[in-house]
Amino acid sequence: MIELLVVIAIIAILAGMLLPALSKAKAKAIKIKCASNLKQLGLASHIYASDSNDKFPDMMDPVSKTVGNWPWDVPAYVANQLTQNGAQRHILYCPGFAKQDNDTLWKFTTDSVAETTTRDSGYRVVGYQFAFLNAARIRLTNITESLNPKSWKMPGGVELNPGSSERVIIADATLSNGNNEKDRAKNRYIGIDGGWKGHQSAHLNGKFPDGGNLAFADAHVEWRHFAKMLVRTDGDPTFWW
């Protein structure tokens, strides 16, 4: 009996040592898969631009002439173009919050849960936020509408035109209720409700985002820690990168 208890104790100790390592390995694998998704989305966006006078997709619904409510609201025709250029449905969702990849959000106000829609009207809710022209609530100083974008008009009348390696075009969905950049503990990063209840930031580390992957206009992808992210939208919920 004593020997059995010793063995059980040893197993418990080993499990306690291995579980954190396994958890870190799983989180790293998710980040790598997410980065791969954004790489493919960035390439699909570049293919679209190369066929459209260097312009990235316009995020306004061409039928209703309206824009979405959140920056991950993608017009049906844009989602169709992305999937036709190699970005399959599941690539449009971050594995860091896999529950978002569901038929309700994929169809949302469109006419189909298939890879493409029949009509070019309505929106799909995806798992990444876009910074193209007419992206919902994205501040104008974060919009990149083409491969040769306009300068941003900064406060004080200063114009800024960062290079393509500094312009984010697609970002992980790091979002919150609240937009406090100084005391980020005052924001909530889970249980964020919209037309679908239960949204949350991807890549959580406890109750806070660890960070997110970003796709840039020059087609490279990099990880940014949450501590270095800034608010990029007006209104609630707040989106960061």
Side-chain angles (χ1 to χ4, degrees), residues 78-159:
V78 174
N80 291 344
Q81 291 294 327
L82 291 174
T83 53
Q84 289 166 10
N85 286 322
Q88 298 175 351
R89 163 184 168 172
H90 300 300
I91 292 172
L92 283 153
Y93 292 96
C94 178
F97 183 50
K99 289 182 180 179
Q100 184 116 341
D101 185 358
N102 62 69
D103 287 349
T104 298
L105 293 178
W106 179 243
K107 182 179 181 182
F108 209 57
T109 60
T110 69
D111 62 14
S112 177
V113 295
E115 286 289 314
T116 58
T117 61
T118 302
R119 297 187 296 275
D120 282 340
S121 60
Y123 284 86
R124 296 195 187 282
V125 175
V126 299
Y128 295 105
Q129 51 180 321
F130 289 76
F132 300 148
L133 182 66
N134 290 315
R137 298 195 292 106
I138 295 288
R139 293 173 179 172
L140 294 179
T141 49
N142 293 290
I143 294 294
T144 297
E145 75 285 353
S146 73
L147 294 173
N148 301 291
K150 298 177 182 178
S151 297
W152 293 332
K153 293 183 178 180
M154 310 301 289
V158 177
E159 290 195 358

Side-chain angles (χ1 to χ4, degrees), residues 47-231:
I47 292 171
Y48 176 94
S50 67
D51 293 332
S52 305
N53 297 316
D54 289 343
K55 294 180 180 179
F56 290 123
D58 187 333
M59 303 302 280
M60 177 181 287
D61 185 322
V63 179
S64 65
K65 302 299 181 183
T66 60
V67 297
N69 294 310
W70 296 14
W72 58 26
D73 293 346
V74 177
Y77 95 96
V78 174
N80 291 344
Q81 291 294 327
L82 291 174
T83 53
Q84 289 166 10
N85 286 322
Q88 298 175 351
R89 163 184 168 172
H90 300 300
I91 292 172
L92 283 153
Y93 292 96
C94 178
F97 183 50
K99 289 182 180 179
Q100 184 116 341
D101 185 358
N102 62 69
D103 287 349
T104 298
L105 293 178
W106 179 243
K107 182 179 181 182
F108 209 57
T109 60
T110 69
D111 62 14
S112 177
V113 295
E115 286 289 314
T116 58
T117 61
T118 302
R119 297 187 296 275
D120 282 340
S121 60
Y123 284 86
R124 296 195 187 282
V125 175
V126 299
Y128 295 105
Q129 51 180 321
F130 289 76
F132 300 148
L133 182 66
N134 290 315
R137 298 195 292 106
I138 295 288
R139 293 173 179 172
L140 294 179
T141 49
N142 293 290
I143 294 294
T144 297
E145 75 285 353
S146 73
L147 294 173
N148 301 291
K150 298 177 182 178
S151 297
W152 293 332
K153 293 183 178 180
M154 310 301 289
V158 177
E159 290 195 358
L160 180 66
N161 194 353
S164 59
S165 63
E166 300 176 89
R167 283 178 173 263
V168 174
I169 58 172
I170 311 170
D172 242 322
T174 304
L175 68 158
S176 63
N177 276 333
N179 60 357
N180 195 317
E181 291 183 334
K182 293 183 179 180
D183 187 356
R184 302 185 181 204
K186 292 184 177 179
N187 306 320
R188 190 175 79 248
Y189 306 95
I190 61 173
I192 301 169
D193 296 339
W196 183 81
K197 296 184 182 299
H199 295 292
Q200 68 178 49
S201 286
H203 308 294
L204 288 176
N205 183 5
K207 294 183 178 179
F208 295 92
D210 190 23
N213 284 303
L214 312 175
F216 290 78
D218 68 344
H220 90 274
V221 174
E222 67 181 53
W223 176 264
R224 179 175 294 172
H225 290 287
F226 182 57
K228 295 183 178 181
M229 290 186 174
L230 299 173
V231 171

